[in-house]
Amino acid sequence: MKKTGKRTYCLETPVTVRGWSAVVGKTEKSGPLGEWFDHFHTDEYLGKKSFEEAESELQKEAVDLVKKRSEISEKDIDFVFAGDLENQCAGANYCMRHYDIPYFGLYGACSTYAEALILSCMSIDGGFANNTLALSSSHNCTAERQYRFPLEYGALRPQTAQWTVTGAGATVLSLRYDASKPRISRFSVGRVVDYGVKDMNNMGAAMAPAAADTLLTFWEDTNTRPEEYDVVVTGDLGKVGHDLMRILVREKFPDFTNTYDCGRMIYDRTEQDVHSGGSGAGCSAAVINGYFFPSLMKRTYNKILFVGTGALMNTTRIQQKETIPAIAHLVEIEAGEI
Amino acid sequence: MKKTGKRTYCLETPVTVRGWSAVVGKTEKSGPLGEWFDHFHTDEYLGKKSFEEAESELQKEAVDLVKKRSEISEKDIDFVFAGDLENQCAGANYCMRHYDIPYFGLYGACSTYAEALILSCMSIDGGFANNTLALSSSHNCTAERQYRFPLEYGALRPQTAQWTVTGAGATVLSLRYDASKPRISRFSVGRVVDYGVKDMNNMGAAMAPAAADTLLTFWEDTNTRPEEYDVVVTGDLGKVGHDLMRILVREKFPDFTNTYDCGRMIYDRTEQDVHSGGSGAGCSAAVINGYFFPSLMKRTYNKILFVGTGALMNTTRIQQKETIPAIAHLVEIEAGEI
């Protein structure tokens, strides 16, 4: 078996990241990473009749763009692994009507994109696919009214709350070796961790222990240390969760500083009214595809760890006074050899 | 690559179905398959405070039972692939808090269990797991109030509507060969099919084309015919959808009769007020684990095709006058050699 330690897997041959795309909304375009995204929309409806239709369209644009970039046709994509935050993952389901590609629907909340990368790698390395598509999205307006309140209420949010990213990211992963492209050789699969946080406006605190758990497991499993990576980037813990995660990791690695968080990176918290930072299944998907893959191409980074984190509650459970379970999946991504 | 034809995969070594369990509610216990289920509850709350908690408990009971039956400890289960119909798949998320097992959350509506079987096979055959757990559930009371109306309304339902099964099914799949146990060698991955059905009370009609599409693709991909199987069992099309699926398949195979549907089998439609039959992510999970695996052990059947079908809408999309996308994943299951 390809397993190392408790929850980490090493591929015999690295899977190549063949192409990537990131499409976002206007708030994300106005943020510090704005110039990195491939395409943006000022209209939250994307010209559609509903925010929900708009979210599926965001995914579709990301798919069409990554297909073109990767110079791959629909028939050469063996599987799509996709999901989003809409009830019953409707964003991805309705997007996938447009394509004749075998489809696995996933739900991992904001960890969905990392989950899709891992299952892509497993299906390619296992001999079931030559090319796969990993895809996820979120839309601020679909998420706010589904998880919190109708936008029209203008409800106030506490400082620990995160701002759901309007964005989609798509990646084509491939068996075919390309020495210039980023690649994935190792990953760790998350388990459900619940530290008893009940505040749906503080998902960062709920997810931080899961992120720390998976990171510490990976370093133990692989006998590596944080400083061997240019950066350890978490999915979307936001400021509150990211600070908490660092405290937890520093119990084992006191010098741990080389870490970013997609939720912190995507917005300028001093200029933009996003409180603790970004979140949503489109957050890490947009940041990894928009910023990190291109930066790995440019050799700004040579080796990173990406930890997608997800808060696994729903509104009904929170109304029932339940706590928030969380999960974190980890992927090691390296720059190409040339 | 292990692909045959368009969407079918053949494993070099069959994956063994090591153990199974099915836990249901009282309506399912009163149905024609009642005696087959491992355990049942007359209390819809299972002694918990909410129907949602009860649904997670159903899953937990199924997991604990299958672990015992398979003589496997938690640490030897490499992955859980699980999901359900609750928003954000909370049924599985909250169940998995109780276990220290790497977890992939899935959403395929009523096809979730079939999706879990396929990803289990891929991860085992691909060298990533020795044992996996495939798990899904539904609960009539969580589903009715989430998808339709609060139960207290006593809303009337049309004859095309299906009755959401209260039940969970769990399966341990294994690399370790056991000649006495059922095994899986081939499967086909579904794609999204949308024939324009808009009636959420007629999901059978929405799913039938997806089931026919995957079945016809499998027979073409493998150069086999329906009569080579003891039975072709669909996930949960109910009477309406199952009849429609047969019409579609008969265009190619006019003599196609050897087919059952989990949604039709689980209830007695003449005695029980279930309209078109059963549905829900727990329906096929309970029927395959409760009835089919034991029947394959007894050699009542030697070779079956199981097609899990899912209707991929949500209530918001239906309120927006959208149509219902559907998907169907297929698994070929054979009895053991001895």
Side-chain angles (χ1 to χ4, degrees):
Chain A
M1 206 167 57
K2 293 156 189 172
K3 193 166 161 183
T4 301
K6 279 187 199 164
R7 294 192 271 133
T8 304
Y9 291 82
C10 299
L11 303 183
E12 288 156 17
T13 312
V15 164
T16 296
V17 181
R18 180 164 164 177
W20 47 85
S21 68
V23 180
V24 297
K26 62 183 172 187
T27 316
E28 295 69 30
K29 178 67 184 174
S30 312
L33 300 179
E35 67 187 290
W36 291 86
F37 301 119
D38 298 307
H39 193 52
F40 75 100
H41 291 273
T42 50
D43 172 18
E44 282 155 337
Y45 283 96
L46 277 78
K48 301 286 171 186
K49 283 186 202 160
S50 69
F51 298 137
E52 286 73 17
E53 265 192 76
E55 179 163 0
S56 292
E57 184 65 20
L58 273 179
Q59 287 203 3
K60 186 168 179 294
E61 286 187 5
V63 173
D64 290 341
L65 194 55
V66 81
K67 273 172 54 193
K68 198 172 162 190
R69 284 258 187 87
S70 312
E71 294 175 348
I72 193 165
S73 68
E74 213 168 302
K75 71 171 174 44
D76 291 323
I77 300 174
D78 298 294
F79 302 129
V80 174
F81 294 95
D84 58 284
L85 301 181
E86 281 181 55
N87 291 342
Q88 286 68 57
C89 307
N93 296 341
Y94 281 81
C95 169
M96 292 314 301
R97 289 195 296 191
H98 300 285
Y99 303 98
D100 179 13
I101 310 177
Y103 166 48
F104 291 106
L106 309 183
Y107 186 76
C110 307
S111 73
T112 301
Y113 174 65
E115 182 182 349
L117 287 180
I118 289 175
L119 288 169
S120 287
C121 289
M122 281 171 48
S123 64
I124 291 170
D125 189 76
F128 295 96
N130 289 328
N131 301 286
T132 70
L133 185 58
L135 170 69
S136 78
S137 71
S138 49
H139 190 303
N140 186 271
C141 305
T142 68
E144 285 302 312
R145 65 181 180 185
Q146 181 181 282
Y147 286 103
R148 295 187 178 98
F149 295 102
L151 293 172
E152 294 78 358
Y153 285 16
L156 287 175
R157 307 155 71 240
Q159 289 302 314
T160 52
Q162 291 171 251
W163 185 263
T164 307
V165 164
T166 297
T171 313
V172 170
L173 295 117
S174 188
L175 179 67
R176 199 179 69 188
Y177 181 68
D178 184 336
S180 71
K181 298 277 177 72
R183 57 217 166 98
I184 298 173
S185 307
R186 297 198 282 200
F187 52 82
S188 298
V189 184
R191 59 178 175 175
V192 176
V193 169
D194 191 330
Y195 267 40
V197 175
K198 289 187 174 191
D199 182 358
M200 207 160 84
N201 279 310
N202 193 356
M203 292 188 295
M207 296 188 285
D213 173 65
T214 297
L215 278 167
L216 293 170
T217 303
F218 174 82
W219 287 318
E220 191 181 323
D221 285 352
T222 56
N223 197 22
T224 56
R225 300 175 56 86
E227 55 269 31
E228 295 177 39
Y229 293 86
D230 295 319
V231 62
V232 174
V233 57
T234 48
D236 36 39
L237 298 173
K239 182 192 183 310
V240 176
H242 194 231
D243 287 348
L244 288 171
M245 180 279 293
R246 285 196 292 200
I247 291 169
L248 293 170
V249 170
R250 281 177 186 163
E251 288 176 11
K252 178 84 188 283
F253 297 104
D255 300 327
F256 178 55
T257 52
N258 55 329
T259 178
Y260 296 162
D261 178 69
C262 295
R264 288 180 97 152
M265 294 174 77
I266 197 165
Y267 299 125
D268 180 344
R269 290 176 49 255
T270 58
E271 295 288 328
Q272 295 181 292
D273 187 24
V274 296
H275 299 12
S276 190
S279 70
C283 180
S284 62
V287 173
I288 299 293
N289 286 287
Y291 174 71
F292 279 103
F293 288 139
S295 298
L296 285 154
M297 282 299 282
K298 291 181 184 174
R299 304 300 185 278
T300 312
Y301 309 110
N302 283 304
K303 194 154 83 162
I304 70 168
L305 288 182
F306 162 48
V307 190
T309 54
L312 300 176
M313 78 295 164
N314 69 9
T315 54
T316 307
R317 299 282 184 149
I318 295 299
Q319 285 159 4
Q320 292 167 349
K321 315 287 182 205
E322 259 292 6
T323 55
I324 302 176
I327 197 163
H329 299 296
L330 178 150
V331 182
E332 181 191 71
I333 312 172
E334 291 174 278
E337 291 165 312
I338 55 167
Chain B
M1 205 166 56
K2 293 155 190 172
K3 192 166 163 181
T4 302
K6 278 185 198 164
R7 291 193 271 134
T8 304
Y9 291 81
C10 299
L11 304 182
E12 288 156 18
T13 312
V15 165
T16 295
V17 181
R18 179 164 165 177
W20 47 84
S21 68
V23 181
V24 298
K26 62 183 172 186
T27 317
E28 296 68 31
K29 178 67 185 174
S30 313
L33 300 180
E35 66 186 292
W36 290 87
F37 301 119
D38 299 306
H39 192 53
F40 75 101
H41 291 272
T42 50
D43 172 18
E44 282 155 336
Y45 284 96
L46 278 78
K48 300 288 173 184
K49 283 187 201 159
S50 69
F51 298 136
E52 287 72 19
E53 264 192 77
E55 179 163 1
S56 292
E57 184 64 18
L58 274 177
Q59 287 203 3
K60 186 169 179 294
E61 286 187 4
V63 173
D64 290 340
L65 195 54
V66 81
K67 271 172 54 193
K68 199 172 162 189
R69 284 257 188 88
S70 311
E71 295 174 349
I72 192 165
S73 67
E74 213 169 304
K75 69 172 177 41
D76 290 323
I77 301 174
D78 298 294
F79 302 128
V80 175
F81 294 94
D84 58 283
L85 301 180
E86 280 181 55
N87 291 342
Q88 286 68 58
C89 306
N93 296 340
Y94 281 81
C95 170
M96 292 314 302
R97 286 193 296 190
H98 299 284
Y99 303 99
D100 179 13
I101 310 177
Y103 166 48
F104 290 105
L106 309 182
Y107 186 76
C110 308
S111 73
T112 301
Y113 174 65
E115 183 182 347
L117 287 180
I118 290 176
L119 289 169
S120 287
C121 290
M122 281 171 48
S123 64
I124 291 170
D125 189 77
F128 295 96
N130 289 329
N131 300 287
T132 70
L133 185 58
L135 170 70
S136 78
S137 71
S138 50
H139 190 303
N140 186 272
C141 305
T142 67
E144 285 303 311
R145 66 181 179 182
Q146 182 180 281
Y147 286 104
R148 296 186 177 99
F149 296 102
L151 293 171
E152 292 80 358
Y153 284 18
L156 288 174
R157 307 156 70 243
Q159 289 300 314
T160 51
Q162 290 169 252
W163 185 263
T164 307
V165 164
T166 298
T171 313
V172 171
L173 295 117
S174 188
L175 179 67
R176 198 179 70 187
Y177 181 68
D178 183 337
S180 71
K181 297 278 176 72
R183 55 219 167 98
I184 298 172
S185 307
R186 297 197 283 201
F187 53 82
S188 298
V189 184
R191 58 178 175 176
V192 176
V193 169
D194 190 331
Y195 267 39
V197 175
K198 289 186 174 189
D199 183 358
M200 208 160 83
N201 280 308
N202 193 355
M203 291 188 295
M207 294 188 286
D213 173 66
T214 296
L215 278 167
L216 293 170
T217 302
F218 174 81
W219 287 317
E220 193 182 321
D221 285 352
T222 56
N223 197 23
T224 56
R225 300 175 57 84
E227 54 269 30
E228 295 177 39
Y229 294 85
D230 295 318
V231 61
V232 174
V233 56
T234 48
D236 38 39
L237 298 172
K239 182 193 182 310
V240 175
H242 194 229
D243 287 348
L244 287 171
M245 180 279 292
R246 285 197 292 202
I247 292 169
L248 293 170
V249 170
R250 281 176 185 164
E251 287 177 11
K252 178 84 187 285
F253 298 104
D255 301 325
F256 178 55
T257 52
N258 55 329
T259 178
Y260 296 161
D261 178 69
C262 296
R264 288 180 97 153
M265 295 174 76
I266 197 165
Y267 300 124
D268 180 344
R269 290 177 49 255
T270 59
E271 295 288 328
Q272 295 181 293
D273 188 25
V274 296
H275 299 14
S276 189
S279 70
C283 180
S284 61
V287 174
I288 298 294
N289 286 288
Y291 174 72
F292 280 103
F293 288 138
S295 299
L296 285 155
M297 282 300 283
K298 292 181 182 173
R299 304 299 185 278
T300 313
Y301 309 109
N302 284 302
K303 193 155 81 164
I304 70 168
L305 287 182
F306 161 50
V307 190
T309 55
L312 301 176
M313 78 294 162
N314 69 9
T315 53
T316 307
R317 299 283 184 148
I318 296 298
Q319 286 160 1
Q320 292 167 350
K321 313 288 182 204
E322 258 293 5
T323 55
I324 302 176
I327 198 162
H329 299 296
L330 179 150
V331 182
E332 182 191 70
I333 312 173
E334 291 174 278
E337 290 165 312
I338 53 165

